[in-house]
Structures are given as structure tokens and as C-alpha cells.
Amino acid sequence: MKKETIGLMLGLFLLFGGYFYAQSYYIKQQQATIELQNKQQAQLHKVQPENSQLKTNASQVTSHVEQVGQANTSSASTEQLPLVVVNPSDLILKVPYATFEFTPEGGCLGKNSLVGEKVAYNDPTPVSVIQNYNICKAYGFRVGTTDLRNQPARIEKTADGSTQIIQRANGLEILRTFKFYDKDYNGEFQITVKNNSQYQQNTNVDFEMGATSDNQNSGGLFSSHPAEFHGAALRLANGDVNRVMTPFDAESTYKVMHSETGVVPTWLSVDSHYWMNTLIPLSHNPLNFEVVRTGNLLRKDGLSPADQTVYEAWVKQPVNLMPGQSVTFNYKVYFGPKNETILSHFDQYSLYQTIDYGFFKIIARPLYHVLFFLHNLIGNWGIAIIILTFCINILFLPLQIKGYSAAQKMQLIQPQIKEIQAKYKDDKQALQRETMSLMSKSGVNPLSGCLPLLPQIPVFFGLDTCLRNTFDLRQSPFFFWIKDLTQADPYFVLPVLMAFLMIGYQKMMPMPSMDPTQAKMMKILPIVFSVFMIFYPSGLALYVITNTIISMIRQGFLTRHFKKAQAK
């Protein structure tokens, strides 16, 4: 039994430690200095031939091209609208749930904020979906090698409230239109590319989605800023989701983090823990997707240290246009929270897969649906967690009874085991053989006492994953000092209470005889678990406390029942 006990405890330590290390991988502390993004500018009317891969894809787009006729190029250029902001108010696009500001140069998405969403329950700062420090935060364009993010743009609003942005480079005119609906955080994004030159254009028109890195102070064991988990992802036609994380990285070299060529994705996304900017291609033209680390760093302002790495997530659209031709790319855009209730309105695109439940998603997502159902009945997420704990205990009750029965049988043969240990203390093989023989004759399985614990371990981590990634629980209070069930207890009350309850439960359990070392390890185990819980969501600590109280009640009942059975 000594080996089994040590093995179990080491396994638990490794499991907890490994999981905690994996979580910390994405939230490690960071440091760096700043450089502004390099901006490229090629000569107008000079088209760079693209690589052969893009040419193949570009030929597929030709079938979607609309012939608009041959026009005199010099005459057309005199009729082109000037690249200016028509009205300063046209730079701002407001809908009931968000405010978007576009930059005069580049026509990029700049400042952005969600109405009614704040950074934390005690911080009223509005949430930004795109959180990088760039002036051009997202939807900056590039034609071939010509970067348009610092080039003039015509920006104006249309009669239906849409925002239109026009830029020109290398004989091409790029017209893009943003239109957001009044609900569900979604809208339309359309790109029309027209060849105003007198020669064929075989190039690509790219735009950057707004990749962001984690901040230097986010996450970490003692950080006051929660983990952000920034990244980029796309869902392929076969249902696979390819995801790359974008942590802070002080490395000053350029690196391609992820690349996809000639794909027709269901969606593409740049996101963080709870927020996402997601595009759903409607044109079904093959495109390329590339996430790069530029090697540059950003700071919030001139007085702050560099605490962001510059990542870029480029959507690359091949075009092959004869003079006067144009091609249009249509996207549906979702710009808001990872709220499963809202995302269910887009089930045909499987947007729920933007929520990264990780390794335990097979457990975490069903637990979310059970919690959501209970919350709809009760109206409090904390009470829903307590009721879920009761349900889990009912499910595992047969295993609990079997484990307790095995522990009782082990207790009954302890005197005989001690006799064997004394008799064969100098012969380890004989000691093991005789001990196993005694257990077999007595109907005792040395591992059966561990059975109730094993299925609870993945449930524990599955619930942790669920609580950390469920937007509905974000800033949801329980009672008193617990204002956000997805964050750790700020006053450590729940972890301390959990330690006392676990020690009490441990004293109620029938334990086999142990040497002093094993006994000490068992005594400190509740303290170790409580220390771990300091960094875990308070909702998970609430689950453990409720589970321990239920276990103590069950233990008292089973002890009384077995004592009565033995008395008979």
C-alpha cells in the first residue's frame, strides 16, 4: 500500500503541476524596447509579379471578375475622387453595441470600444476588441509590396450608414465598405478591386486583421492583470481549427508564426480570451493566411516601457485583372464577445469553435451547457456551480461507496498486514507476495480506494477550463466579496476555508497504517491544494468547497452504516 500511496500522490502532484505549467506557458512575464513598424512604399504604376503559388490562385478568381469595359486611362484618372476625408464625422461609425474610429491616413480601424463592457468589475474602462497600440490597429491594406497603412484615403459615409474607404496604388483602386447591423455584433465587409491601368494586373491585395500580443504585465502568478491569451486562428473546410498564440516576445527577428496557402476557410479570427474579430468569407475564393512576428515592439505611450510585440495577421487575396476589370470579395464580420448564446446565431459557420477549451473541451463544453441551464433556472452562477457539484456527486456516488467499502476492508486486515510486515521485514519479495495473497483472500483490491478520485480529476480540470473560458461568467458575482467567479478570490478566503475542510475530511477517512513520511505527506496535501487554488477561479474553489462538504456528510453517513453492519 505504501508504493500505491506514494505513486498516487506523485501522480497528483505531476498532474496539477503539469497543468499549471501549461497554463503559465501562455501568460509568462515579458519585457522589451520599441520600434515603429517599417513602412514600405513602391513607385506608383509599377506592378511586381507575385510568386507562382499566388498566380495559381489568382487564375481561379478570374471567373468572378466583372468586365466594366475599356476606358481612357487618362480621362478616368481626371474623374477620380480625391483621397480625402469628406467630413470629420465620417471617421466615426457608431452602432448600439460599439464605436469604431477610422484613421485619416490608411483608412484603418483605429480606436474601438464595446458599449456596456468594461475591463473589470472594478475598472470602468471600456473594452477594446483590438487591443494593440498601433495607430492603424486593423484592416490596413497592402497591394503587392506597397504598404497603404500610411497612404491617403477617401473616407465617407453612405446614405445607409455604411463607411466607404478608397485607396489607390500601382494602378489599382481598392474600395472597401464596412456596414454593421444593430444587433449581434456582426456586419458586412466588402472589398472591390478595380484595375484602372492600361495593362494586366497579376498581384495580390492583402489586409491585416489586427493581431495583438499579450502585454508584459498580463498573467503570471502575482500579476494584477489577468491572462489575455491573444492569438489568431482559422477554421478549415474539413472542420479543423488551426490556432497560433501571440505572446509577448522580445526577440527582434522576423518570423512566420503560421501560414496557410490556397485555402477556403470557414472563418478567420484574431482574438483574445473573451473577444474576437472574426471574418467569414462569402466569396469562397482561395486565399492565403499568414501570421508573422515582425521583430518590432510597442509601448502604450512615450513614458511607458515597451510591453507589446508587433504581430501581423495577413489575409492575402490574389487578383488577376485585365484593364478596366474589377473583382469583389465579400465577408461577414463578427466583432464582439465570445458569447456562446450569441455565437449560436451563427451555427452554420461553427463560430463556437473560436472558444478554445483546449485539451479538456470534451468535458468543459458539456459542463458549460449544464451550468447555463441551471443558471437560467436559478439566476446566480455561483448557486448553479453548487447545484452542479451535487449532480456530479450523485453521478459518482456508486464509485464513492465502492471506494469506501474497499477502505473499510483494508482497515479490517491491517493487524494481519502488520504481522506479515514483522515476519518478512528482511525479505521484500516474500513481504509483497504474502501481502498480495492476503488481500486476494480477503477480497481487497489495493487500487479500489483510488477509484472515486480518478474520474474527479478530469472533471476538476474540465470545470476549471469551463469557468476560465465562459464569457457568461465573466464579472458574474456570487455573494459578498466574490465579484467575479472567473477570477481568483482576492482575499484568499475560499482557499483557506478549503484547506480546513479538506483537513477535516481527511481525519474522517479510514486510513491504512503509514510510516511517518507518508503520514506527513498526507497531512500537507490539503495545504498544497489550497495554495494551488489561490491562482484558480473562485468559482472552482466554490466547487471544491461544496464537494468537500458533501463528501464529509456522505462519509459520516457511510461510517455509521458500516459500523451498524459490523455490529450485526
Side-chain angles (χ1 to χ4, degrees), residues 470-486:
T470 297
F471 177 82
D472 308 69
L473 270 74
R474 179 180 177 270
Q475 299 177 15
S476 295
F478 179 46
F479 293 116
F480 308 113
W481 72 97
I482 302 297
K483 304 298 183 182
D484 188 346
L485 287 164
T486 65

Side-chain angles (χ1 to χ4, degrees), residues 256-322:
V256 177
M257 307 294 292
H258 185 79
S259 181
E260 299 280 352
T261 303
V263 295
V264 183
T266 309
W267 49 256
L268 309 105
S269 183
V270 293
D271 58 14
S272 57
H273 199 175
Y274 293 117
W275 317 102
M276 66 183 193
N277 172 32
T278 301
L279 292 176
I280 301 168
L282 302 178
S283 302
H284 303 295
N285 296 324
L287 53 81
N288 301 339
F289 183 64
E290 186 175 73
V291 181
V292 300
R293 183 192 67 205
T294 65
N296 298 325
L297 301 170
L298 290 172
R299 66 180 76 219
K300 190 172 184 179
D301 52 56
L303 300 177
S304 302
D307 67 345
Q308 278 191 356
T309 302
V310 179
Y311 290 93
E312 295 177 344
W314 288 99
V315 179
K316 300 182 175 184
Q317 304 166 124
V319 295
N320 189 359
L321 300 172
M322 299 299 292

Side-chain angles (χ1 to χ4, degrees), residues 5-22:
T5 303
I6 294 175
L8 173 63
M9 293 176 64
L10 287 176
L12 288 174
F13 276 120
L14 288 173
L15 190 57
F16 271 92
Y19 181 75
F20 194 72
Y21 176 80

